[in-house]
Amino acid sequence: MFFSSLRTTAFRNLNDCEILTEAKDVFLVGENGQGKTNFLEALYFCAYASSFRTNRDAELARNAEKNFCSYVKLSESFNDEILVKFENGKKIIFINNKKAEDRRELLSIAPCIVFCHEDMEFISGSPERRRWFFDQTLSLYDPVYLDDLRRYKKVLKTRNTILRDCSQKQCNNPENVLDSLDPQFAMYGSKLMEKREKAVKDFSDLFSTLYEEVSGISGITVKYKKSWKSDDIISFLQEKRASEMASGISLSGPHRDRYVFSHEGSDFTVNASTGQRRLLALLLRAAQSSRFSAETRQNPILLLDDVLLEMDGEKRRRFLSVLPEYDQAFYTFLPEEPYQRYRKDDTLVYTVKSGQVFN
């Protein structure tokens, strides 16, 4: 499966036209700020109805525009079309001209793995960003996990509202309300933790091998640290209730779990160089892609935004050698990069300038 064409309207700085992309490898070449990343973002927007650069959909609209859309046709063997529109402040998804009720319907149609600079947040950013990455990894191949995650977040939101009201002395009989919520909170949270624990072991084994092959550093593992230490979660929550009611927020649960990159018993990212952290981020995505393929027997579409730019020649070669199988890949390059070296006979190369994409 691959994208055979992309058409956008008022999306970032991209010209309003259809671009044919019917090739396994597509290179987008241009200076910074010309629209290469915007092109990848438009593809990603069709795959997930969200951006990998911002949580505010309105920011994707061209200057002075309020509405925009992105539309893709997929390979003939699947004969699918996806249109994601943003109109009057609302997002609307169409799959084969039929309105989708939930964006999770997109997950099995055009699974994309994006490699981008924002991925550095998974290494150097908040614990929340790492949780987001591993939640995304699981959700790509386990829709039940996504459902449980949504349910957990819904209960968590309700629980936090009760606790906040308690801290402000605005809640009557909070103990009774929490007694009714906590079994659901514990049930959905336990399901998430169980799957996270299993997934991170498989992920870590793969990731450790990839990192050693590219960097030469062995023994880098991913550790999952649960917030709930006790098997009797209800009793644990009751013990913490007084402090939670005073603070006005849920102080434990899967939303507080942590992931750590460990090396010889310590956090590798603390003393890692910028280059090592960048490589960690890139190989996280490579491992994510490989795990997706192993679980679904499908190959994803890869969106690689300037991933080779900061690597020396040898690391580029090693990284490309461990790049997982894919159905299609889109790469962005600066004009001075040796992209011709990676070009194949059937590679489609476009130049991008001022939002215009041309041969």
Side-chain angles (χ1 to χ4, degrees):
M1 182 272 299
F2 55 83
F3 295 122
S4 58
S5 69
L6 168 70
R7 187 177 76 231
T8 60
T9 302
F11 193 101
R12 297 282 195 182
N13 78 326
L14 297 176
N15 283 10
D16 297 346
C17 63
E18 184 173 35
I19 303 298
L20 300 179
T21 59
E22 201 158 352
K24 181 168 184 176
D25 296 288
V26 181
F27 289 2
L28 303 166
V29 183
E31 299 290 351
N32 289 327
Q34 300 305 301
K36 304 188 305 292
T37 302
N38 295 343
F39 192 97
L40 300 187
E41 189 177 25
L43 294 171
Y44 189 91
F45 193 68
C46 285
Y48 300 114
S50 64
S51 166
F52 59 83
R53 301 160 78 189
T54 179
N55 293 323
R56 301 181 183 90
D57 291 329
E59 293 181 2
L60 304 181
R62 186 182 301 144
N63 292 339
E65 299 282 354
K66 293 184 179 179
N67 303 327
F68 66 88
C69 74
S70 185
Y71 166 80
V72 291
K73 292 180 181 178
L74 299 170
S75 55
E76 291 183 5
S77 59
F78 283 76
N79 197 30
D80 282 322
E81 299 177 353
I82 300 171
L83 169 64
V84 185
K85 304 170 68 175
F86 187 79
E87 291 183 343
N88 303 317
K90 294 184 178 180
K91 187 159 46 186
I92 310 169
I93 303 167
F94 293 92
I95 301 173
N96 296 332
N97 297 313
K98 182 180 178 181
K99 185 177 178 180
E101 297 301 322
D102 192 320
R103 67 177 185 171
R104 75 192 294 272
E105 296 177 40
L106 293 170
L107 290 178
S108 62
I109 299 176
C112 288
I113 305 292
V114 63
F115 297 67
C116 61
H117 291 289
E118 286 78 6
D119 293 347
M120 281 290 284
E121 294 180 10
F122 304 143
I123 310 303
S124 304
S126 66
E128 180 182 12
R129 292 302 294 153
R130 292 188 190 180
R131 286 193 297 272
W132 184 92
F133 171 81
F134 285 102
D135 283 341
Q136 184 194 56
T137 300
L138 274 157
S139 298
L140 282 171
Y141 60 79
D142 187 349
V144 176
Y145 179 86
L146 179 58
D147 289 339
D148 286 336
L149 182 62
R150 286 177 168 182
R151 294 184 184 107
Y152 174 81
K153 287 182 176 180
K154 184 176 180 180
V155 176
L156 174 64
K157 183 178 180 180
T158 303
R159 195 173 189 273
N160 281 342
T161 299
I162 300 299
L163 292 171
R164 184 194 64 216
D165 290 346
C166 287
S167 69
Q168 298 173 358
K169 312 299 183 184
Q170 298 176 356
C171 182
N172 294 322
N173 300 317
E175 296 278 356
N176 292 338
V177 179
L178 291 172
D179 282 344
S180 66
L181 278 177
D182 282 356
Q184 297 178 63
F185 189 58
M187 178 180 66
Y188 293 129
S190 296
K191 290 181 178 180
L192 297 180
M193 290 192 305
E194 183 180 351
K195 289 190 174 182
R196 285 178 178 181
E197 199 161 32
K198 180 182 183 304
V200 81
K201 183 183 184 303
D202 296 334
F203 190 97
S204 180
D205 292 343
L206 173 60
F207 177 80
S208 180
T209 300
L210 291 175
Y211 199 84
E212 182 176 2
E213 285 186 34
V214 179
S215 71
I217 300 175
S218 62
I220 306 295
T221 59
V222 184
K223 301 294 185 183
Y224 171 52
K225 298 191 174 183
K226 297 184 291 186
S227 172
W228 287 335
K229 308 298 183 183
S230 172
D231 291 333
D232 188 352
I233 298 171
I234 298 297
S235 296
F236 180 84
L237 292 173
Q238 289 175 342
E239 290 174 8
K240 300 294 182 181
R241 182 169 292 180
S243 57
E244 289 187 327
M245 290 173 66
S247 62
I249 195 169
S250 300
L251 298 173
S252 67
H255 64 290
R256 295 291 184 111
D257 290 348
R258 300 174 68 88
Y259 293 88
V260 177
F261 297 96
S262 179
H263 184 240
E264 297 180 350
S266 61
D267 188 339
F268 179 69
T269 61
V270 172
N271 297 313
S273 67
T274 301
Q276 288 171 331
R277 292 178 182 182
R278 177 62 177 150
L279 187 59
L280 281 171
L282 288 173
L283 293 177
L284 272 181
R285 288 300 196 182
Q288 183 183 57
S289 180
S290 293
R291 288 300 303 147
F292 170 81
S293 296
E295 293 289 340
T296 66
R297 299 297 185 264
Q298 286 182 265
N299 291 330
I301 296 171
L302 305 184
L303 309 176
L304 302 106
D305 191 19
D306 287 342
V307 298
L308 304 179
L309 185 59
E310 298 173 3
M311 294 184 189
D312 59 37
E314 178 58 20
K315 276 202 171 58
R316 287 186 179 201
R317 184 192 66 78
R318 291 182 183 179
F319 173 75
L320 290 173
S321 72
V322 302
L323 202 62
E325 289 293 323
Y326 56 86
D327 279 351
Q328 188 177 32
F330 293 79
Y331 298 78
T332 67
F333 293 100
L334 292 172
E336 60 269 24
E337 288 188 85
Y339 61 89
Q340 295 287 0
R341 185 180 305 169
Y342 315 115
R343 182 176 182 175
K344 301 169 187 171
D345 292 340
D346 57 349
T347 299
L348 185 57
V349 180
Y350 281 119
T351 297
V352 184
K353 185 174 183 180
S354 300
Q356 183 179 358
V357 182
F358 55 91
N359 291 109

